[in-house]
Amino acid sequence: MACKTLILMLISVFTMLSCREEMNVAPSSLQVDTVKQIAVSGKYIVLGELQRIQTAVASPFKGSVKWLVANGDIVNKGDTIATINSGTKLQSNDKKERLIQVQNRLEKNIELLQKILANKNIADNTTELIAQLKAYGIMDEKVLLSLSNADQLENILHEEIKATTSTMQRIAQLQTKSLSSMLYHVISPEVGELKIIESDSNVKPGQELGIVFNKSDDVFVFHAERLPRKSWNNIVNIFTQQKRLEGRIIECGDKSLFLELSKNPERLDGFLNTRSKLKLITEPENKILIKRSAVNRSENTEWVFKKDGNTFKKVQVGTRHYNGALLEIISGLHHNDQIIVSSTKPIWDKTHLKISGFYAEN
């Protein structure tokens, strides 16, 4: 029994010694690389269509549109290409005069109503006052005949003054309101070929009336299905199944790129309004790239052996995929750090490696 216990103890000690966290290694058993920052460019392929630049023409107001040019005409920037009639009729001078006359009559009516209401002997003179109102024709005769006492007369006078005042206010608004017919001009936003969408019909504000296609021979737009937000090199290539076309980026939008292409229109055959691929290259960025073999993983943690004096210590790193052989380091390492990328010895379960010889001092 004692012998068996001794054997188990020896096995435990041997296991502890073999799994210790520190290990002595010779430089010849290690491949060590120096970490460098490298200026690299990314390559992206996006799908989309190459088209001529087009600008929508929208109605500024509600009304009836009348085109002054024909479909397919070439228009210049700033040209009046259509008019929008708002449909509001011009207020005639006769109508204005009648409004003034009504307003004057109502003012006199209010003056009379207020004078009757101010009569101190309204109770004694009710019948006489009602007859006076009837004679002037200010109030409805049936309403006047239904009055039988001073209280009723006072109430009806107040209501009539209120109603007449409201009518006068509406007349004043009509006099000051602009009722002239509005004829709005629709202006071409660009130079190009006009395509009419809405022809001689009633339109709403903001409704698209037509499109002006830019007639430039060298500037086009590529509408991408998806465009990453990057800083792009200005040289791009467009590919169809059989052709390639080189261009230069002039301006970037959220999903569009404005491109300057060859002035030879024959080269555009097979590219315009055709699903194609656009090859983009990002501007160079400084990145730290290391071999995949240098990075080890345990329990969702990535780490490398980094040189520190005469030892290599296990340090945690953050990585991002770059290509099949390399990883991009986003945290944990810096320019000129030295790391182990491979070893002929089983070192990866250790946390410290002691280096023998002069290598550690270099």
Side-chain angles (χ1 to χ4, degrees):
M1 184 68 179
C3 183
K4 186 176 180 180
T5 302
L6 180 60
I7 292 172
L8 290 172
M9 290 177 63
L10 289 172
I11 292 173
S12 177
V13 170
F14 178 78
T15 303
M16 290 174 63
L17 289 173
S18 63
C19 295
R20 65 186 179 178
E21 294 185 342
E22 189 174 288
M23 179 179 177
N24 290 321
V25 292
S28 58
S29 66
L30 305 175
Q31 180 185 347
V32 178
D33 280 358
T34 300
V35 173
K36 296 293 183 184
Q37 273 194 340
I38 306 172
V40 295
S41 297
K43 296 179 182 180
Y44 291 82
I45 301 293
V46 297
L47 300 176
E49 283 189 9
L50 183 68
Q51 299 176 354
R52 290 192 179 277
I53 297 174
Q54 59 188 54
T55 307
V57 179
S59 173
F61 294 96
K62 178 182 178 181
S64 177
V65 58
K66 181 179 180 181
W67 289 100
L68 306 180
V69 293
N71 191 40
D73 280 359
I74 302 300
V75 296
N76 295 312
K77 184 175 182 179
D79 283 355
T80 299
I81 56 178
T83 58
I84 304 292
N85 192 320
S86 65
T88 306
K89 301 299 181 182
L90 182 67
Q91 180 175 281
S92 66
N93 289 332
D94 290 344
K95 187 172 182 179
K96 289 181 180 179
E97 189 64 33
R98 286 197 301 271
L99 286 174
I100 294 172
Q101 291 173 0
V102 171
Q103 187 178 32
N104 291 338
R105 187 173 69 248
L106 291 176
E107 286 177 353
K108 290 181 179 179
N109 289 352
I110 288 182
E111 185 178 346
L112 178 61
L113 291 170
Q114 290 174 336
K115 184 177 180 181
I116 293 173
L117 193 59
N119 193 311
K120 296 181 180 179
N121 299 317
I122 192 169
D124 299 330
N125 301 313
T126 299
T127 304
E128 180 184 340
L129 294 174
I130 291 175
Q132 190 177 354
L133 288 170
K134 184 179 177 182
Y136 276 97
I138 295 177
M139 298 172 60
D140 186 89
E141 189 172 345
K142 291 181 180 179
V143 173
L144 292 173
L145 291 173
S146 67
L147 298 176
S148 60
N149 58 54
D151 289 339
Q152 289 180 336
L153 178 58
E154 284 190 80
N155 290 337
I156 202 68
L157 287 173
H158 281 298
E159 290 297 324
E160 189 65 22
I161 290 173
K162 183 178 179 182
T164 305
T165 303
S166 177
T167 302
M168 289 180 62
Q169 289 173 347
R170 289 198 297 271
I171 290 174
Q173 290 173 356
L174 285 174
Q175 285 182 309
T176 57
K177 185 177 180 181
S178 175
L179 296 177
S180 59
S181 178
M182 300 300 289
L183 195 65
Y184 300 101
H185 288 195
V186 179
I187 306 299
S188 173
E190 295 293 341
V191 178
E193 180 182 336
L194 175 67
K195 178 184 177 182
I196 295 175
I197 298 174
E198 291 292 341
S199 177
D200 297 327
S201 61
N202 290 321
V203 294
K204 298 176 182 178
Q207 184 172 340
E208 192 171 310
L209 304 177
I211 298 171
V212 177
F213 291 91
N214 191 305
K215 292 298 291 182
S216 171
D217 291 332
D218 55 353
V219 179
F220 300 83
V221 61
F222 187 91
H223 294 291
E225 295 177 4
R226 184 183 62 85
L227 187 62
R229 291 184 176 274
K230 300 285 183 180
S231 178
W232 303 112
N233 184 291
N234 65 349
I235 302 299
V236 299
N237 286 278
I238 305 172
F239 296 89
T240 59
Q241 291 183 345
Q242 299 176 341
K243 295 184 178 182
R244 180 181 74 87
L245 183 66
E246 185 177 283
R248 185 173 66 88
I249 296 176
I250 297 176
E251 186 179 345
C252 292
D254 290 338
K255 286 190 175 182
S256 301
L257 292 171
F258 292 89
L259 307 176
E260 183 179 45
L261 303 176
S262 167
K263 293 187 177 181
N264 183 358
E266 295 179 0
R267 295 194 61 196
L268 297 176
D269 292 343
F271 285 99
L272 286 175
N273 304 312
T274 301
R275 184 177 171 85
S276 54
K277 295 179 180 179
L278 181 69
K279 182 180 179 181
L280 297 161
I281 299 174
T282 61
E283 292 288 357
E285 295 180 87
N286 288 328
K287 294 185 177 183
I288 293 178
L289 304 177
I290 66 172
K291 295 178 180 177
R292 285 182 177 271
S293 60
V295 180
N296 289 269
R297 293 172 177 81
S298 58
E299 298 180 357
N300 298 322
T301 301
E302 297 178 311
W303 55 272
V304 300
F305 276 123
K306 185 178 81 169
K307 188 171 182 291
D308 183 10
N310 65 345
T311 64
F312 279 91
K313 294 182 179 179
K314 187 176 180 179
V315 295
Q316 185 173 333
V317 294
T319 69
R320 183 186 292 136
H321 172 78
Y322 183 73
N323 61 28
L326 301 174
L327 289 172
E328 179 188 353
I329 295 296
I330 57 176
S331 64
L333 290 177
H334 299 91
H335 182 66
N336 284 336
D337 284 344
Q338 290 186 299
I339 58 171
I340 297 174
V341 295
S342 66
S343 172
T344 59
K345 302 292 184 180
I347 63 172
W348 306 110
D349 60 339
K350 312 303 179 185
T351 59
H352 292 72
L353 300 176
K354 261 192 172 181
I355 309 301
S356 58
F358 292 100
Y359 178 86
E361 303 302 324
N362 297 335

